[in-house]
Amino acid sequence: MKTKLKTVNIKGRQYVEVNERIIYFRDTFKGWAMTSDIIELDDTRCVMKASIFDENDRLIASGTAYEKESSSFINKTSFIENCETSSWGRALGNLGIGI
């Protein structure tokens, strides 16, 4: 089943934002779960892993992300949150949503 998700243009490419992927995931995969775990965290960087589990608690997809504090405007105040969002986006992409 292919569904057209809303995209935005980022540097000339069409991109499905993570919030759109999450909405689609929650609407489509009832009973499934998405978790995130901090793999590494210090004052300047964060590594996170997001995991997607089916209704039988079987790991179906995962994604990791790395963010450095102050590497972008948003990371100056929210590098941990941005890292989590990025890991969710990668996990959802690995599930086939938004790619």
Side-chain angles (χ1 to χ4, degrees), residues 5-10 13-18 20-21 85-86 89-90 98:
L5 300 176
K6 184 177 111 183
T7 62
V8 296
N9 186 313
I10 297 180
R13 297 189 67 201
Q14 292 303 308
Y15 175 78
V16 178
E17 293 180 311
V18 175
E20 290 292 321
R21 295 176 194 207
T85 301
S86 295
R90 293 185 59 79

Side-chain angles (χ1 to χ4, degrees), residues 24-41:
Y24 178 82
F25 173 76
R26 296 286 183 216
D27 288 344
T28 306
F29 296 91
K30 305 288 186 195
W32 287 38
M34 186 166 49
T35 64
S36 55
D37 296 295
I38 295 172
I39 304 301
E40 186 177 332
L41 177 63

Side-chain angles (χ1 to χ4, degrees), residues 27-87:
D27 288 344
T28 306
F29 296 91
K30 305 288 186 195
W32 287 38
M34 186 166 49
T35 64
S36 55
D37 296 295
I38 295 172
I39 304 301
E40 186 177 332
L41 177 63
D42 63 29
D43 291 341
T44 62
R45 66 179 184 225
C46 180
V47 179
M48 284 213 183
K49 178 182 179 185
S51 302
I52 297 174
F53 299 90
D54 69 9
E55 66 277 352
N56 297 313
D57 205 30
R58 186 175 54 138
L59 179 64
I60 302 299
S62 64
T64 57
Y66 171 88
E67 295 289 343
K68 289 175 68 175
E69 189 260 341
S70 297
S71 64
S72 68
F73 178 77
I74 192 73
N75 280 2
K76 288 181 182 180
T77 60
S78 305
F79 76 103
I80 297 168
E81 296 89 336
N82 194 30
C83 192
E84 183 174 45
T85 301
S86 295
S87 68

